Structures are given as C-alpha cells and as structure tokens.
Amino acid sequence: ITYMIRIENVGLATAYNIEVNDIYPSNMTAQWVIYLNSAPGATGPGNNVWNIASLAPGAAYIIWINVTVAVQYNITNNVEVNYRDADGEAQVTERASWTTWVQNPFILLTKTANATAVPGGYVLYNITAENIGTGNATGVTVTESYPAGTTFVWASITPTAGNSVWTFDDLPAGFIGSLLILVRVNNGTVPGTVLANTVSLTYSSLANMSMPALTARANTPVIGPSMSILKTAPASVNVTDVFNYTVEYWTTGTDWAY
C-alpha cells in the first residue's frame, strides 16, 4: 500500500515546528502493516515521524509511505499533525485517516461420508471448499488421509500426486467446489471399527501470504454381524447317566445375522 499525506497551510500565517506522526495500523500484539520506505525519509524517531521547520501560507508538504500488509483484515491508517504559531503557541492537532479494504481469501472446508459401512462395501466422501473471502485463494493443496482398512477406488477429480493429493492454482472469491472420493472397506475389517478420515487444505493469498491450514473429518462406523457361541456339560458322569449339553449363542456385532 502506498499512503500519500499532504500537509497544506491554508491559514494566513506561517506554521512552525510541524510534527507529522503516522500511526501504522496494529492491534495489541501485532503490527498490521510493515513499513518499507518513504519519501522523504522520516526525520523523527522510528520510521513514522517527520519534522518540518515551517510552512508558509499556501505552501504544502507531501509524504509518500510504502508499506506491506501483514494481516487479512481491513486496516485504517491515522495521521496526526502538531504545529505552533510564530509565538510558539501550540495549535489544535489536525488528524486524518484512511481505510483500506484488504482483499483476502477465506475458505470454509467441510466433509461428509456414509453414516455406516460394511466389510466389502464402499464409503463415499464429499469434500466441499467455499471461498467466502474477498480475494482469490492461490496455491490450494488438498491432502487426504485414508483410514486403515480402506482402499482408494475413484475420485471425481484426478489426483495431482498419488491418490491423495490435489493442487489447484486458483480458487476465486465466491467459489464453491466439491471433490468426491470413493473408497472400499477391506474384507476382514472388524465390525465396530470406526473409519476416521481426515482431509487438510492449505492455501495462500494473492500476496503469497500463507493462510491458516484447515482440516475436516468424517467418521464412519463399520457394522456387521458377529456371533459368539458357548457349549457346556457336566464335568463328569456315570456310565449309565443321561446328561445334557447346553449350547448358547448370541450376537456381538452391529448388524443382523441371517
């Protein structure tokens, strides 16, 4: 961002001991803009104070300041000018401000999957990315972490690397897109297993500022029948005794057994 500060003496007498103090936007913990340079260079302490000996009536003094944006928020820059008259009396402080709309992406990431799955069956993951920000997202990378017990089958967009990484050059502001991924639940996956799937997304702003990484998760429990059986009988009997065997069986799975 280039700020232009114009100080003009619109009065009828010369202004003296003029101090221009530019207040760079920040919060309590971070500087929101980073100073690069100015013309003319700052003359006071730091990089935001300029001292002007005097300005005659009708005269003007211009300061150019170049900064780089370090946050994704709208930023307001304020400047104050203090000066004195010929008798050394302090005059009323003059102030001015300017708000810059910082265009930055802001992506929402969601993921859904089947409510349940069975061994040998399939799970369809639906990943949705929506850029609700005011600027384009660049260098977008989507990375899937497939759960143990599954095998990749198909994706609606061909992966960029292997079967789990997708890269996109640009996601415009307002863009909504989906990626479908189909996996097979391996035979032998024990009913009761929860298939925990995670997707991550990284991206940058047009100014190559890395934005916070995103993750979304979907958990799918594996259901299926599982039987237990128990047989009991007397520990000992006589030669002519009649005795019974007791067979007990029950289901311990998460689905009907047929």
Side-chain angles (χ1 to χ4, degrees):
I1 300 174
T2 298
Y3 293 114
M4 189 273 284
I5 303 172
R6 177 184 172 90
I7 305 99
E8 182 178 1
N9 185 353
V10 296
L12 300 177
T14 298
Y16 296 92
N17 299 324
I18 304 158
E19 181 183 273
V20 181
N21 182 15
D22 194 73
I23 304 168
Y24 300 129
S26 66
N27 62 13
M28 294 297 291
T29 59
Q31 194 73 34
W32 285 2
V33 299
I34 299 172
Y35 170 86
L36 296 177
N37 54 63
S38 64
T43 56
N47 53 28
N48 66 321
V49 176
W50 288 261
N51 299 110
I52 308 166
S54 63
L55 270 183
Y61 188 91
I62 296 177
I63 302 170
W64 299 90
I65 307 172
N66 292 312
V67 300
T68 183
V69 180
V71 293
Q72 59 186 13
Y73 318 109
N74 298 334
I75 54 177
T76 299
N77 178 267
N78 297 282
V79 63
E80 297 179 350
V81 177
N82 294 289
Y83 62 103
R84 297 177 181 274
D85 62 14
D87 296 325
E89 293 291 332
Q91 303 298 297
V92 176
T93 299
E94 297 291 335
R95 295 180 173 87
S97 65
W98 187 268
T99 299
T100 300
W101 179 263
V102 179
Q103 292 187 324
N104 265 306
F106 191 93
I107 293 180
L108 297 179
L109 182 67
T110 58
K111 184 173 197 173
T112 60
N114 303 41
T116 59
V118 297
Y122 297 88
V123 177
L124 181 66
Y125 296 112
N126 185 355
I127 302 166
T128 301
E130 180 180 3
N131 184 358
I132 63 171
T134 56
N136 293 0
T138 63
V140 180
T141 299
V142 177
T143 304
E144 263 286 294
S145 297
Y146 299 120
T150 63
T151 301
F152 172 83
V153 176
W154 168 87
S156 59
I157 301 173
T158 302
T160 307
N163 58 23
S164 61
V165 178
W166 291 258
T167 57
F168 305 92
D169 292 334
D170 188 79
L171 294 185
F175 173 87
I176 302 176
S178 293
L179 171 63
L180 301 177
I181 302 172
L182 186 68
V183 300
R184 185 177 184 274
V185 183
N186 298 340
N187 292 323
T189 302
V190 178
T193 300
V194 176
L195 304 176
N197 180 273
T198 302
V199 62
S200 62
L201 186 150
T202 58
Y203 66 107
S204 299
S205 69
L206 287 173
N208 292 322
M209 181 190 304
S210 295
M211 310 301 287
L214 305 174
T215 59
R217 296 175 176 83
N219 294 331
T220 303
V222 177
I223 63 172
S226 180
M227 299 292 299
S228 293
I229 188 168
L230 175 66
K231 184 176 183 178
T232 59
S236 63
V237 295
N238 296 319
V239 174
T240 59
D241 287 349
V242 176
F243 64 93
N244 296 320
Y245 290 106
T246 302
V247 178
E248 299 177 79
Y249 56 92
W250 60 93
T251 60
T252 57
T254 53
D255 200 6
W256 285 90
Y258 298 95

